[in-house]
Amino acid sequence: MFRTALRNVLAHKARLLMTMLAVLLGVAFVVGTLVFTDTVGNAYKERFLTTLRSISVQATPPFDEKTGEPGTVGEDTLRSLRRLPGVASVTGSVEGFAAVAAKDGHPLGGDHSTAAGNYFPQADGRDDRHPLTAGRAPTGPDEVLLDTSTADRGGYEVGDTVRLAVDGPVLHKKLVGIVRTDDTYGSGGTLVLFDDTTAQQLLLKPGQYDGITLEADRGTSEERLAAEARELLPEDSEISTGAQLRERERADAAEGTRGLSQVLLVFAAIALFVGVFVIGNTFTMLVTQRSQEMALMRAVGAERRQVTRSVLVEAGLLGLCAGVAGFLLGIGVAMGIRQLFASTGSGLPDGPLVISPGTVLISFLVGVVVTMLAAYLPARRAAAVPPVAAMSAVHTPPPARSLRRRNAIGVALIAIGVLGVVLTASSGESGSTIVLLPAALLLIGIIVVTPALSGPAIALASPLLRRFGVPGTLAPRNARRNPRRTASTASALMIGLSLVTGLTVVAVSATTALHQRAENTVRADFEITSKNGGGLPASVHRTLAKSADVTSSSPRRQSAVRIGGDEVTLTGVDPRTIGDLLDPGFVSGSLAALGAGGGKDLLIDTSTADIYGWTMGQRVPVVYDDGARATLRIGGIYHDDEFLPPTMMPLATLQPHLKEIEDASVLVRTKAGDGETARHSLERALDQNPLIRVRNTDDLAEAAGGESITLLVNVLYGLLAMAVVIAVLGVVNTLAMSVFERTREIGMLRAVGLQPEQTKRMIRLESVLISLFGAVLGISAGIFLGWAAGRLASDSIQGYEMVIPWGRIAVALAGAVLVGVVAGLWPARRAARLNILTALKAD
């Protein structure tokens, strides 16, 4: 039987190629995921080993609760640490923020890390944290270093003048060197390094450091050095040995890659699940085509178990070949996934590909096991065919009772799935994963009843195809001839499209809610903020208020006050203009309260009201930051919104109590609206300061989550594309096998006058029908699942309402038509090229 299986594999190479591709792609996805996560994990490990190799002890001073600033240590502490026995070197670090502009003026870094620090040379004049690749170290206040990525993206070379800002106006510094860094700046962030003195003056305090690292002499224990250093450092400093740092970073890297690996493996499982339909279809057709051969084997003494075993061995050989090819392709998939994440600015480190023995073993196991499982039922059916019936070519269709039983099971699964999804979605448990089980039952139920649905659906589309003449009449009949096969082929496409549609519905609904809320709440054309999350100088608002392009503006200045035993942040706004810039949805009261009551009214959002139990008209005693006391009256309560501050009061009332005049943000309306012309005008008025961010309502919505949602969905689209590709291969495979089965029939059609072009059209229309049937099922299921997922996400996304993206759905349907046309090209060409006489002689 083994020799028989081997001969069958070698005899039907062309038939099994498409099946092998389906398994191959699924295995490649699994292998690619494992290789990718092993590679990233190893890259993290190597990066941290390289970065932390020279660190024996790391110390961070405690946070200063009085000033609200990070703790520091002085240069005298560094000198004391250098005198400890066993210390090879001591490095003081200064870390902060610096925004950098490219040569053409546009800011670099976006929302990524825009860091600054000090270059701390040792006795040899080098700082091992930042190896120089060009130039020299900075020696004065007008010189800086950039990392290689920042220099490349900004178009800078050694000797150029760099435009940057730390916490105020634009600074111009000379680039004297470029450094290589092992941190995440290459993924979109920026790094600027100053000399030690300049970094302290700009980022911290003169003569102070916010962190210290020690390198021990050979033979000196890290634990002993840490204990001795603790005696010289401020009390409660966080002190770690190099071994502890390396172990912590290894654990963090492993945890970070574990979640990513699980997500990727889920999509690999989906791809393999889709591949099961293709494999099952192929072996079902192969078994049908070889029924006489198997009946002859039964007639000469082969047992049912031997026939079943023969088909399974054939599947195992196919899976083994697919496993080998999938393993090789998986290496390429891993490289592609790594490139995809690098292009999104994920910050994943680079490194050589890592292929573990376990990955090699898994590739073979997955290929063989999945293929044999998919082929098991066709093998059992092959063994059950009576020898006499098969040898006499009496191929009896499955009994109707079998299909009725299948339909009953499918309807039950759909009912349970729909009920479970509706109940879970109506429970209000945000982010609940319980919905995954009923959703899976629903999709399985649809797959089970798809044969019963295929007939009516194709019959419904039949009148539309009559305009294609005879091919349009024959194509629906061919598609309905074997409902099980048509259903299985369509189901593979349905799975991928249902997931894609569900993701699209949720993503479009969420981003639409964010954009609508931003537009309804923020009347201002632009919000100006600082990139470092800190305050803006008051001069920014004064500059904008004087601009001829600005029609109204208001700063948002904040101060922490004491109310009872709690600390509450109050936001001061200009009562005269705030109504032109913001439109809160009030539960009670209005913005007019800010201009009444002698400036003693306070507006709060519903969350603040709930936390402190404040009600409309209540008088609240406050203690300002300067110690002054006052009583404010709750003059209005509005719905909480991420685009609104939690409190608002007249700026004139709050400002006299501020120790430092700076703005959390500035809201402006312009004559030219919120377009790019107005944006550039504001940026020019602010000297194109890279520290300042100018955002319109669309930008605010994207920053509030729209950009993250879009990026996530695009990545998921890329991952699900593998399942769709496998489904397309299934359509090609089914049609190719179907053409082989109908060789004699096609020959007769050709003999009575069907032209080659009409034959091609008939096969292509059949392919389009199957693809559209799967697409309609998938889109319908996806909309329902998208509704359920949206209900679960609605609590965390304010104003969420389901939006059906009809345009994208139309694109998906058009794509299904294209898939059908492309998938039918090769089978149609093969059918049209059949020799009439040879086809008529076929069995």
Side-chain angles (χ1 to χ4, degrees), residues 716-781:
L716 296 181
Y717 279 172
L719 299 177
L720 284 171
M722 184 73 74
V724 176
V725 169
I726 294 174
V728 172
L729 289 175
V731 177
V732 177
N733 204 22
T734 298
L735 289 172
M737 301 290 282
S738 178
V739 167
F740 178 83
E741 282 184 358
R742 304 197 318 252
T743 299
R744 187 171 183 178
E745 175 189 325
I746 293 173
M748 293 182 65
L749 290 172
R750 291 287 312 282
V752 297
L754 192 69
Q755 298 300 312
E757 188 58 39
Q758 291 177 306
T759 304
K760 290 181 182 179
R761 189 176 304 158
M762 177 184 69
I763 301 298
R764 287 197 296 263
L765 288 174
E766 182 180 350
S767 176
V768 169
L769 272 176
I770 295 174
S771 298
L772 275 177
F773 176 51
V776 170
L777 283 180
I779 290 171
S780 302

Side-chain angles (χ1 to χ4, degrees), residues 374-392:
Y376 178 72
L377 287 179
R380 293 272 296 181
R381 285 197 292 267
V385 175
V388 175
M391 291 179 69
S392 61

Side-chain angles (χ1 to χ4, degrees), residues 416-427 429 431-442 784-792:
I416 295 172
V418 170
L419 183 61
V421 168
V422 171
L423 290 177
T424 306
S426 303
S427 65
E429 295 182 14
S432 175
T433 57
I434 302 175
V435 74
L436 294 178
L437 177 59
L441 291 177
L442 171 61
F784 176 69
L785 294 178
W787 166 81
R791 285 292 300 270
L792 293 174

Side-chain angles (χ1 to χ4, degrees), residues 245-509:
L245 287 173
R246 288 186 285 273
E247 182 58 33
R248 191 182 308 152
E249 295 293 352
R250 283 195 193 99
D252 291 344
E255 182 63 28
T257 56
R258 185 180 298 114
L260 179 60
S261 175
Q262 290 172 349
V263 171
L264 293 175
L265 284 174
V266 166
F267 286 95
I270 293 171
L272 285 171
F273 183 62
V274 172
V276 165
F277 289 93
V278 180
I279 300 164
N281 252 1
T282 301
F283 275 93
T284 297
M285 289 185 284
L286 285 175
V287 165
T288 302
Q289 293 168 14
R290 287 163 35 201
S291 58
Q292 289 187 339
E293 172 190 330
M294 292 180 178
L296 180 61
M297 293 171 59
R298 292 284 311 281
V300 297
E303 297 180 359
R304 291 177 61 174
R305 285 181 299 177
Q306 289 178 304
V307 174
T308 302
R309 195 179 306 135
S310 171
V311 177
L312 290 178
V313 169
E314 187 176 338
L317 292 173
L318 176 67
L320 184 63
C321 295
V324 174
F327 169 74
L328 298 175
L329 181 60
I331 297 174
V333 171
M335 298 173 65
I337 295 176
R338 186 169 64 173
Q339 187 62 37
L340 173 66
F341 278 88
S343 66
T344 61
S346 61
L348 295 179
D350 198 3
L353 286 175
V354 176
I355 304 172
S356 67
T359 300
V360 179
L361 179 62
I362 287 173
S363 69
F364 296 137
L365 285 178
V366 169
V368 172
V369 172
V370 169
T371 308
M372 293 182 70
L373 284 176
Y376 178 72
L377 287 179
R380 293 272 296 181
R381 285 197 292 267
V385 175
V388 175
M391 291 179 69
S392 61
V394 179
H395 303 301
T396 308
R401 186 181 61 181
S402 172
L403 199 57
R404 286 198 298 269
R405 187 186 306 120
R406 173 172 176 157
N407 292 341
I409 294 172
V411 169
L413 289 174
I414 291 174
I416 295 172
V418 170
L419 183 61
V421 168
V422 171
L423 290 177
T424 306
S426 303
S427 65
E429 295 182 14
S430 180
S432 175
T433 57
I434 302 175
V435 74
L436 294 178
L437 177 59
L441 291 177
L442 171 61
L443 290 178
I444 293 172
I446 294 174
I447 292 169
V448 172
V449 301
T450 301
L453 297 175
S454 63
I458 293 174
L460 190 64
S462 297
L464 301 177
L465 301 181
R466 289 174 185 165
R467 58 184 299 270
F468 293 99
V470 174
T473 302
L474 294 175
R477 294 178 182 178
N478 292 334
R480 294 175 62 185
R481 178 178 301 178
N482 192 329
R484 293 172 181 269
R485 183 187 303 168
T486 298
S488 182
T489 307
S491 294
L493 191 60
M494 182 269 289
I495 295 168
L497 282 178
S498 64
L499 297 175
V500 169
T501 303
L503 288 173
T504 302
V505 168
V506 174
V508 170
S509 300

